[in-house]
Structures are given as C-alpha cells and as structure tokens.
Amino acid sequence: MMAERPTQSAVERPDGKGNQALKAGVSAFVGTTVEWFDFFIYGTASALVLGDLFFPEASDAVGTLAAFGTFWVGFLARPLGGLVFGHFGDKFGRKSALVLTLLMMGIATLGVGLLPTYAQIGVAAPILLVALRMIQGVAMGGEWGGAVLIATEHAPKNKKVLYGAFAQQGAPVGNLLATLAFLAVAGLPDQALQSWGWRLPFLASALLVLIGLFIRLHLDESPEMRKVLESKSTVRVPMLEILRNHRKIVALGVGATIIGVTLSYVKTTFALSWATTDLSFTRSEFLVIIAVALIVQIIVQPFGAVLAERINIRKAVVWMIVPEIVLLPLMFVFISTGSMTLSLLGMALATIPTSMYYAALAGILAQVFPVEIRYSGLSMAYQLATTLFAGTAPMVGQFLLNRTGSIWAVVAMGMVYMVISLASVIALVRHDAWTGRDSSGRATPPGGSDDRAPEHPAPSAPSEHADLPGRATMAAGTR
C-alpha cells in the first residue's frame, strides 16, 4: 500500500487512472462551459433586449422586470432537472445523463435564437420564450451535478475539491464567452440589434454544443458509479432515500450554495441593467467591465480549491466569504460614480472572494452524499439554491430598486445571503456526513485510489456501503 502513495498525481499513475481523472476534469470543464454559455446568453439578452422584444407594451422598468421574470423561469425549472437527471444518473450512470442534458440545452438555445418576437406573433412569443427557458432550466439542473461528479469521482481521494473546480471553471468561462458574444453585437444600431443582432449568440451556440457532445461521447463512466452499476446496488428511488435520511444535509447544502451562485447574477445581470438604464454607461462599456471581471474570476477562482485542500476547510471558507462584506458595497459605490476605471476596479475586487469560494463549493458538496444517491442529493441542494435565490436575484434586486429608489437595498440583500451561506457551510463541514477530512478539517493524506474500500472501515458503517470511500460514518450522515 505504501508503495502506491507516491503515484497519486493525475498524470503519473501507471494504471492509467490518473489520465482518466485528468480527462474527466477537462471534459467536465468543456461541457459546463458550453452549458453555461447557453444559459448566460439568455441572462445578458434579458438585461439588454428581451424586455423590448417580448414585452413591448410595458414600461421600460416593468418590461425589464418581466424579462428578468422569464430569466427566473429557467431557475425555477432547475430542481426538476436535478430530480429527473439525478434519478437517471444515479440509476444508469453519469455519462448518459450528461449527454442528454447537453443535447437538450442546445436545442432550447437554438430555439430561442429562432423565436419570432411579440411584434410578429403576439402573445405566443413570450409564452414560447418561457417554454424554451424552462427547457434550458431542466437541462442546466441536470448538468451541474453530473459534471461535478464525473470529475470528483475520477479524482484521487485527497484531490476531490480540486477536481470539482474543473466543473466550476466552466461557469466564468461560459459567462465570459456569452458576454463577449453580446459585446460583439452590442455596438450595432438599435434597430439592427433588435431585429437580428441579438439572435447571433444563440445561433452560434449550436457549434459549441456539437463540440461538447463529441467530448462527452468519448468519456468513460466514473469508477465509483461503474462499481455501483456492476454490483447492481443502485437505489430504486434515490430522492425518497434523500427525503428520508438526508434532509438536513440538503438544507445545509442549499444555504452553503447561495453566496456561490447568487452574487454572480447581482454583479452581472442586475448590475448590467442598472448601469445601462439608470446610470450613464452604454451597453458596450458595461459589458467590457463584466468581461474584465470574468477574466479575473477565471484566473483567481481555482486558487479557492487549492486553498481549501491546503488548510483547515472552515478557515478557508471564512477567508473566502468575509471580505465580500466590504467589497460588494464598494463595488456599487464605484459603479455609481460613472467612472469606467473605478467600476472596473470595484467589479474585479468584488469578484475575487466569492469566485474562490465557488471553486471549493462543488468538491465540498460532492463529499456529503453516498455514491448511489449522490447525483440526486448534490443536484437538489444546488438547484434549490439557484431557484430560490440566484434566479430571483435580478428580479428581487430590480423590485427593491424600483420600490426604494436606492441601490443600498440591493446591497442589503447581498449581505443577508452572505450570512446565510457562511453559517450553512461551516455547519456542513462540521457535520458527520463531511468526508475526506480528518478531525481538524484538513485534507486526509493520499492513501490509494478512491474507488477502493478503506483499509479499516468503521464498525458502525452499514455493510452495503462498506466499499464506498470516505463513508466510515454512513449512519451518522443519515440523521
């Protein structure tokens, strides 16, 4: 056993599992980049043009609010996607579910790009827009959990948080590509942008989907899930098992996820609408600000996973969340000056803490559910958070701004989200279900591939889970 320990890196293991782990991580990154690109271009479009095109009879403020409402519909559908594809992925494997989610997302996004507007088909246009957005939401709801698991379940035991960050990295890259796509068309005259220019990013997504499908079709099933399938130990209805025995973990997972997913939409979708409607920024100017912030996120985000692997996990999450309490208000103050330079600085600084936390979040959540219900549990916690908090953030922010006339109401909303997340993630990593850590919260040392049984499983572990890595206290995790 000791002789195997030096060979745990993702590129050196002679059995080829290291290469498979790296391949799985890259595949998770590429696939989620494509999915997030499709999902984010809708958010950008809702802030810039969808209100005028699909809700033309409303005032500017109400039309924007309605467009943000359709934006939220995609989040409303995400728990359904997590439920359906979580069940599918826990019963039949991660790979098949991921191929289906990507195909569904591609079809829905292409459909939005081809959709007639209100001026062309009347009230049927917003109805069809909502339907396509719901399909996007179902696809995204199934995508995230599967992508995280295909990466973390291939990863060496002591690198799960790090490999989970591969899937997380797709979010800022996809968002950046979506922002650049709209930046390319934002300079068009208003008539051209509203007649055909806004459609181009949606239509261009078809090529990215084909690339993503090619990669996923050549991906192996994860070792942990393959073992469950071969032993025929899948759970008949994974969600029922979660509702019976893992409700507390799901609730903590929802709370822990809020800050990781919500502020991104406050700082991009909502802020874009606010800056271009109430302030003096042009579309192109603020899209540049968002693009720069996303580049900063892409660079700094992986360091959150590295930090979480290197030090006490509880200290790591505190260090990654607390600075945002100062930086979020500072960002809005800087944007309100109308200065391009200050706005760039404020957005970039406010991006750093929560993006680092987002990188670590996937690996944390991936280690608190047993493998045979992991896709369902992970997806439900994450997608409920996106539906209840992230998807509503632009809409609630716009409502608060309309009602109070002050951006500080939006800042207060962000502060509440931070407190909930900090308390939840600390409770989560202190819970008995948290695995892969020693009693101090540090990463356990390398000790063999995580698709093998632990050498000395705890006597209290139920026999049907004895071969699952890091599940030494399975019974405690089902309180």
Side-chain angles (χ1 to χ4, degrees), residues 69 85 109 174 180 205 226 256 258-259 266 270 286 317 346 380 425:
F85 286 102
T109 304
L180 293 177
S205 72
R226 187 168 61 246
I258 294 172
I259 194 66
V266 172
F270 168 78
F286 208 79
V317 297
M380 190 52 54
V425 73

Side-chain angles (χ1 to χ4, degrees), residues 274 279-281 330-343:
W274 173 60
L279 304 178
S280 59
F281 289 96
L330 186 66
M331 181 195 80
F332 280 109
V333 169
F334 281 3
I335 293 174
S336 66
T337 66
S339 165
M340 187 79 169
T341 301
L342 287 177
S343 298

Side-chain angles (χ1 to χ4, degrees), residues 18-227:
N19 290 331
Q20 283 298 318
L22 184 59
K23 180 181 177 182
V26 172
S27 298
F29 163 67
V30 173
T32 52
T33 296
V34 175
E35 292 261 10
W36 281 116
F37 171 80
D38 284 2
F39 203 74
F40 276 122
I41 54 176
Y42 190 100
T44 306
S46 69
L48 295 178
V49 297
L50 294 187
D52 293 335
L53 294 174
F54 291 90
F55 306 95
E57 297 182 356
S59 65
D60 288 345
V62 175
T64 300
L65 190 60
F68 283 159
T70 66
F71 177 71
W72 178 52
V73 165
F75 289 86
L76 190 64
R78 283 171 68 166
L80 176 60
L83 178 65
V84 172
F85 286 102
H87 179 89
F88 188 90
D90 282 331
K91 294 284 286 186
F92 304 106
R94 317 321 192 187
K95 176 181 174 179
S96 299
L98 287 172
V99 170
L100 288 175
T101 60
L102 187 57
L103 187 60
M104 183 182 292
M105 177 68 84
I107 292 172
T109 304
L110 187 63
V112 173
L114 297 172
L115 187 63
T117 64
Y118 186 94
Q120 295 168 309
I121 61 173
V123 71
I127 292 174
L128 290 172
L129 182 68
V130 169
L132 290 170
R133 182 60 175 171
M134 287 189 70
I135 295 173
Q136 276 195 324
V138 171
M140 196 70 241
E143 160 69 23
W144 184 84
V148 168
L149 294 184
I150 208 71
T152 58
E153 290 180 354
H154 274 93
K157 183 177 179 180
N158 65 314
K159 295 185 182 295
K160 290 185 178 293
V161 173
L162 188 61
Y163 273 72
F166 275 92
Q168 301 295 70
Q169 198 71 354
V173 175
N175 198 349
L176 176 62
L177 291 177
T179 301
L180 293 177
F182 265 95
L183 185 59
V185 300
L188 292 170
D190 286 347
Q191 183 177 1
L193 177 65
Q194 296 198 3
S195 62
W196 55 268
W198 70 275
R199 300 180 184 274
L200 297 181
F202 291 93
L203 300 178
S205 72
L207 178 60
L208 294 178
V209 169
L210 290 176
I211 295 172
L213 283 173
F214 175 81
I215 292 173
R216 288 198 165 167
L217 287 170
H218 290 80
L219 180 66
D220 291 340
E221 183 58 77
S222 78
E224 291 183 47
M225 190 62 209
R226 187 168 61 246
K227 193 169 186 178

Side-chain angles (χ1 to χ4, degrees), residues 265-333:
Y265 297 99
V266 172
K267 292 182 290 189
T268 54
T269 304
F270 168 78
L272 173 61
S273 175
W274 173 60
T276 57
T277 302
D278 295 355
L279 304 178
S280 59
F281 289 96
T282 66
R283 291 188 296 257
S284 296
E285 286 174 340
F286 208 79
L287 285 171
V288 168
I289 292 171
I290 292 174
V292 172
L294 289 170
I295 292 171
V296 171
Q297 181 177 355
I298 291 168
I299 294 171
V300 304
Q301 181 167 289
F303 291 101
V306 174
L307 182 65
E309 291 284 9
R310 295 287 184 180
I311 70 170
N312 180 289
I313 191 72
R314 293 187 289 277
K315 289 182 180 178
V317 297
V318 169
W319 290 354
M320 289 186 279
I321 292 178
V322 170
E324 195 71 24
I325 295 174
V326 174
L327 294 177
L328 183 67
L330 186 66
M331 181 195 80
F332 280 109
V333 169

